[in-house]
């Protein structure tokens, strides 16, 4: 089936990564980035360097016409400078928007060398820093993909329904900026991306190829930022849900901060606005990040992974995978204190309270 | 032994060239790389605009070629063309007074248009696949069902710089109309949609056939390129396009999607162009000396062209060029004596 | 009630899986030459009504042929039945007849 992905391959460094974070993931999927670092450092014994003084890539501002090109290039140059100063050359980004930005800057610098000169000059004048261009730029899902067989060997749980013994049916969603801007930057290219599919297959699940698989989640930066425009942001996610629902997916996995958030949260919105839920047994479809998926496979505790922060409850999936968890610990924070509990919602098939 | 004229390629242009040379008393040697002559036409069912069976044209041409006594060598691929003759891929050198290059075109590889899922989704076919299905008299979906809704997409691998094919392949438009009619004849209640960018009906009877398709056969024409094909849960094909004439997106599910694949410059063109007398056009088809008085001539006095090696052409045009090329060869040889 | 401040947009696509082509097929059965339209736009270019209103005969009959009937009857009411479009049509389509046919099939002609 998926023979075309082999034509798009890229070199992924095996070790010694310089890691930059996403702006929004720590709010919506707060355990994912920590899980990535834990998996890389503790499970796979790899060296990942992180600098506390790195900043946002300003991509959301850039794509919303707030941050100009010269500014974002200087920001990118500064991130690279931090990498250079730390003695690393394999740059990895946790965010798909940022991944697109870093690739865009590199492409632009190679097409128009004068823009690179300008970025170097701006950076030097503003901070006194200098940088070397990275030897490789990868998204962190590429890194997990690269190590997927090693993770499979250490697996505590498979993507298999323990009751039926059948593979779980998984929808994978790739953020647009992973490969639609530069198809060569993504495993499998833009039409049949393999980065998440490869993980799913290696860990025992079945990938669902549904008609709207390649469609955008509707994030769209300025579209969701402006309240009046959210109608067509949510409509794009809805189009995907309607298209995937007949396949009865057990969960969705995404590699983009915005996609994971919207595919999760818009299910709540659609349920409340129209009364429709797309999962089984009147529940929404759980949405996972690939780090959460890898974490579950490696036997991490779901609440340590931050899965209590999901809009759509993940318990039905945990039950299918045979993962033991403490229901009473779901809403306890890291310090053991109760962090509060969200109101009931239709998307979780709970009694609905009209607000 | 020295052959007078070597004809490179045993498709219809090469066959007709060899035949016309033999008819003029010039001894040709026809070299074909595959195991049989006939070229692309061997896989074709019927020819536009008259629905003449391809086997009829090919059969007649083969019989006359055989009768002419022209020597044919199959499994002989030409690597190089030079002043003295040609060199085969097995290292054999063959001398000749003149060479006619009739190496034709390659079919565009539809897998390169990844968004249509050819080779991935079983109900996505090419126009060449459909001809084979017509020949086998078995036009059914991958599940063995009679298709009730079929879409044909024009310009796959034509007019598309994303796949390095900027040129128009010319014959796909009329092929799309022809195949739509054939499908409708086979399945009169089926809904058939042609997605086109422009309809280029350049040959005699083509425009009339287009109108017939619209009016008599009720085939629907939607102006817009399909942007994406994907598989539905029941293995049908969902397609998206813009209906550009009303300015709205359009989507539908079909039982079969037929990709009308274009003509790609022959893979051997680059190799032949190592000879500086053989020039390539920006499209990578071979560039004749000019488009008017020397359209079968190279930059060398004894190398000639016929057929789709120089540009996309239909059957009749290729055959005519073959006769012209044979005529030019004869002129060249007699002027030398 | 939650105040969302937005509604979920409805799809704009012409969905040929959902559209009922029954009326379109009936129209084409009575006037098969309408399918031979090559969208040259000369009908619309010369249209008395179309030069003063949003009436676009070519677009409306194309939509009707796709099974998009909403508003088509009202649009056809804008036609002044002058007949110039029929005069200019290079495909010989009885365009004036199409106006009447669409009205007949879609409304209370």
């Amino acid at each position: 089936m998926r023979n075309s992905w082999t034509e798009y391959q890229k070199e992924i460094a095996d070790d010694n990564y310089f890691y930059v974070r996403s702006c929004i993931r720590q709010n919506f999927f707060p355990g994912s980035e920590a899980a990535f670092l834990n998996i890389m450092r503790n499970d796979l014994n790899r060296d990942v360097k992180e600098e506390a003084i790195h900043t946002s890539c300003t991509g959301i501002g850039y794509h919303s016409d707030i941050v100009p090109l010269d500014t974002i290039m200087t920001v990118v140059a500064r991130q690279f400078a931090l990498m250079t100063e730390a003695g690393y050359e394999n740059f990895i980004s946790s965010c798909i928007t940022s991944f697109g930005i870093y690739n865009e800057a590199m492409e632009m610098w190679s097409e128009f060398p004068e823009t690179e000169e300008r970025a170097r000059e701006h950076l030097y004048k503003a901070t006194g820093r200098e940088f070397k261009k990275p030897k490789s730029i990868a998204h962190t899902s590429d890194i997990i993909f690269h190590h997927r067989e090693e993770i499979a060997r250490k697996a505590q749980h498979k993507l298999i329904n323990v009751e039926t013994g059948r593979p779980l049916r998984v929808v994978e969603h790739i953020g647009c900026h992973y490969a639609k801007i530069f198809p060569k930057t993504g495993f499998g290219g833009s039409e049949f991306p393999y980065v998440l599919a490869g993980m799913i297959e290696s860990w025992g699940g079945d990938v669902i190829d549904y008609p709207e698989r390649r469609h955008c989640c509707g994030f769209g930066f300025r579209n969701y930022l402006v309240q009046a425009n959210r109608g067509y942001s949510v409509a794009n996610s809805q189009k995907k849900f309607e298209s995937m629902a007949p396949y009865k997916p057990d969960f969705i996995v995404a590699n983009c901060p915005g996609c994971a958030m919207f595919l999760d949260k818009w299910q709540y919105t659609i349920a409340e606005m129209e009364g429709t839920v797309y999962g089984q047994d009147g529940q929404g479809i759980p949405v996972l990040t690939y780090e959460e998926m890898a974490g579950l496979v490696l036997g991490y505790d779901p609440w340590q992974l931050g899965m209590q922060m999901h809009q759509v409850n993940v318990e039905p999936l945990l039950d299918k995978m045979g993962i033991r968890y403490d229901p009473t610990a779901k809403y306890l924070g890291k310090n053991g204190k109760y962090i509060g509990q969200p109101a009931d919602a239709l998307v979780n098939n709970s009694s609905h309270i009209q607000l | 032994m020295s052959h007078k004229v070597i004809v490179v390629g045993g498709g219809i242009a090469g066959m007709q060239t060899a035949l016309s040379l033999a008819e003029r008393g010039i001894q040709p040697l026809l070299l074909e790389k595959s195991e049989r002559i006939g070229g692309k036409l061997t896989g074709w069912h019927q020819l536009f605009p008259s629905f003449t069976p391809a086997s009829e044209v090919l059969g007649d041409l083969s019989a006359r070629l055989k009768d002419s006594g022209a020597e044919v060598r199959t499994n002989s691929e030409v690597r190089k063309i030079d002043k003295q003759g040609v060199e085969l891929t097995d290292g054999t050198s063959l001398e000749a007074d003149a060479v006619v290059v009739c190496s034709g075109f390659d079919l565009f590889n539809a897998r390169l248009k990844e968004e249509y899922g050819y080779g991935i989704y079983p109900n996505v076919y090419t126009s060449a696949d459909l001809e084979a299905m017509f020949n086998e008299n078995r036009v059914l979906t991958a599940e063995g069902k009679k298709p009730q809704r079929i879409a044909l997409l024009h310009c796959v691998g034509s007019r598309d710089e994303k796949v390095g094919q900027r040129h128009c392949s010319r014959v796909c438009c009329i092929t799309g109309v022809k195949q739509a009619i054939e499908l409708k004849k086979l399945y009169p209640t089926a809904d058939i949609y042609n997605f086109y960018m422009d309809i280029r009906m350049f040959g005699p009877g083509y425009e009339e056939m287009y109108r017939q398709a619209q009016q008599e056969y009720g085939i629907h024409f939607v102006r817009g390129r399909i942007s994406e094909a994907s598989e539905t849960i029941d293995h049908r094909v969902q397609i998206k396009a813009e209906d550009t004439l009303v300015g709205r997106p359009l989507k539908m599910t079909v039982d079969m999607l037929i990709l009308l694949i274009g003509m790609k410059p022959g893979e051997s063109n680059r190799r032949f162009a190592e000879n500086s007398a053989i020039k390539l056009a920006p499209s990578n088809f071979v560039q004749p000396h000019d488009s008017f008085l020397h359209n079968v001539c190279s930059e060398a006095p004894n190398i000639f062209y016929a057929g789709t090696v120089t540009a996309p052409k239909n059957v009749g045009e290729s055959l005519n060029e073959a006769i012209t090329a044979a005529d030019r060869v004869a002129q060249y040889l007699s002027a030398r004596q | 009630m939650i105040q969302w401040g937005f509604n979920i947009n409805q799809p704009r696509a012409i969905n040929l899986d959902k559209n009922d082509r029954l009326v379109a097929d009936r129209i084409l059965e009575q006037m098969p030459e309408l399918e031979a339209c090559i969208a040259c736009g000369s009908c619309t270019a010369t249209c008395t009504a179309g030069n003063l209103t949003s009436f676009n005969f070519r677009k409306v009959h194309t939509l009707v042929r796709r099974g998009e009937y909403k508003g088509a009857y009202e649009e056809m009411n804008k036609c002044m039945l002058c007949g110039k479009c029929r005069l200019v049509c290079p495909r010989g389509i009885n365009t004036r007849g199409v106006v009447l046919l669409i009205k007949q099939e879609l409304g209370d002609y």
Side-chain angles (χ1 to χ4, degrees), chain A residues 139-193:
Chain A
H139 183 252
T140 42
S141 61
D142 293 329
I143 304 300
I144 297 285
F145 172 83
H146 181 73
H147 294 102
R148 66 193 186 284
E149 297 305 337
E150 202 173 332
I151 291 171
R153 282 193 292 277
K154 294 173 191 284
Q156 303 286 313
H157 301 280
K158 291 263 179 188
L159 300 178
I160 285 174
N161 186 322
V162 288
E163 266 182 42
T164 63
R166 292 215 182 102
L168 292 177
R169 300 170 63 70
V170 191
V171 158
E172 41 87 63
H173 178 83
I174 310 289
C176 290
H177 290 194
Y178 175 71
K180 281 181 189 164
I181 303 178
F182 303 111
K184 66 178 181 192
T185 62
F187 281 109
S190 65
E191 301 293 338
F192 296 94

Side-chain angles (χ1 to χ4, degrees), chain A residues 2 85 91 137 188 201 227 233 237 261 277-278 289 352:
Chain A
R2 290 168 177 272
E85 287 163 20
F91 192 85
I137 294 180
E201 287 175 359
Q227 189 188 52
S233 184
S237 284
M261 171 177 82
V277 286
Y278 297 97
T289 67
H352 188 237

Side-chain angles (χ1 to χ4, degrees), chain A residues 61-79:
Chain A
Y62 174 63
H63 289 307
S64 307
D65 290 347
I66 297 164
V67 173
L69 180 63
D70 274 321
T71 306
I72 195 165
M73 277 191 185
T74 312
V75 172
V76 168
R78 183 176 172 277
Q79 316 279 61

Side-chain angles (χ1 to χ4, degrees), chain A residues 227 231-232 238 273 354-355, chain C residues 1-2 4-9:
Chain A
Q227 189 188 52
Y232 64 98
Q238 186 175 38
M273 284 175 107
Q354 285 281 331
L355 299 170
Chain C
M1 278 295 286
I2 304 172
W4 298 96
F6 61 95
N7 294 309
I8 302 177
N9 289 33

